[in-house]
Amino acid sequence: MHKRLTSPGAAQSGVTLIETSVVAAIAAVLMSVVSPSFDGLIENRKLDGVASNLQADIQFVRQQAVLRHQPLRLSFYSGNETSCYVAHTGNHGDCSCDASGNVACIAPVQHLKTVAFSSADNVAVQANVSSILFDPLHGTSTPTGTLKVVAKSGRAVHHVVNVMGRIRSCSPQSKAGAALASVPGYRAC
């Protein structure tokens, strides 16, 4: 029978510096791979959330115009550091939105709702029209327009509002050679 002899200093417990360094290197490589996709996931959620809210607000203004028997307008404003949209009565020039999202409307214009975005939000709302007027009789819209929710990376969700006041949503596909992809959950524009 052989007896194994061990000295008190031979038994090791704990982790060596080399093992710790290897684990740290593997963790760093994994983080560098996961971080860009995590940022993309956060951006997708932000774009989808803002686009969903904008779509709901368009429908809200359209419904309120019919319920109140009063023409209502959704106006769009953008500056260097901010963008916003305002639901109100009256003409486009009757309301304005400043850099902090505060709205000023001239009397007797009624302000219903404002949504503002600063540069810190990393998302903006852009429109190819200054405002859309919703008719109280049929809920139709004049003029038609494309409303864009755009992230700083360039990824976007477009809401196309037709003359009937209906909304078609899509996300532009990346152009050849671009690294940006369309936002998941939206059909391609």
Side-chain angles (χ1 to χ4, degrees), residues 56 58-69 72 134 139:
I58 295 166
Q59 291 300 326
F60 168 76
V61 174
R62 181 177 181 227
Q63 290 169 352
Q64 287 298 308
V66 173
L67 288 172
R68 292 172 176 230
H69 303 290
L72 293 178
F134 292 93

Side-chain angles (χ1 to χ4, degrees), residues 10-187:
Q12 287 185 348
S13 63
V15 181
T16 66
L17 181 60
I18 293 174
E19 292 169 334
T20 304
S21 299
V22 169
V23 170
I26 291 171
V29 168
L30 288 175
M31 288 304 292
S32 68
V33 170
V34 173
S35 181
S37 63
F38 188 67
D39 290 343
L41 178 66
I42 291 171
E43 183 178 86
N44 284 342
R45 293 291 178 214
K46 179 91 172 180
L47 279 169
D48 185 44
V50 172
S52 295
N53 287 340
L54 176 57
Q55 184 174 10
D57 288 341
I58 295 166
Q59 291 300 326
F60 168 76
V61 174
R62 181 177 181 227
Q63 290 169 352
Q64 287 298 308
V66 173
L67 288 172
R68 292 172 176 230
H69 303 290
Q70 179 181 26
L72 293 178
R73 185 174 301 274
L74 192 60
S75 295
F76 305 94
Y77 307 94
S78 59
N80 292 338
E81 296 296 318
T82 187
S83 67
C84 68
Y85 58 90
V86 180
H88 61 93
T89 62
N91 296 317
H92 170 73
D94 293 344
C95 289
S96 63
C97 184
D98 68 13
S100 35
N102 297 320
V103 176
C105 295
I106 58 174
V109 172
Q110 293 177 336
H111 166 254
L112 288 115
K113 182 173 186 174
T114 301
V115 177
F117 304 95
S118 70
S119 60
D121 293 320
N122 295 324
V123 68
V125 174
Q126 303 170 351
N128 68 344
V129 294
S130 60
S131 67
I132 297 176
L133 180 67
F134 292 93
D135 177 70
L137 187 57
H138 301 291
T140 57
S141 62
T142 307
T144 61
T146 300
L147 316 177
K148 301 174 185 179
V149 178
V150 183
K152 283 204 178 195
S153 70
R155 297 174 75 189
V157 174
H158 294 186
H159 292 312
V160 180
V161 182
N162 69 16
V163 72
M164 297 303 295
R166 295 191 183 113
I167 304 164
R168 177 178 54 87
S169 301
C170 61
S171 179
Q173 289 185 330
S174 62
K175 295 181 171 86
L180 300 175
S182 59
V183 178
Y186 293 91
R187 65 185 188 145

Side-chain angles (χ1 to χ4, degrees), residues 2-16:
H2 291 342
K3 226 177 188 187
R4 189 170 188 189
L5 297 175
T6 58
S7 65
Q12 287 185 348
S13 63
V15 181
T16 66

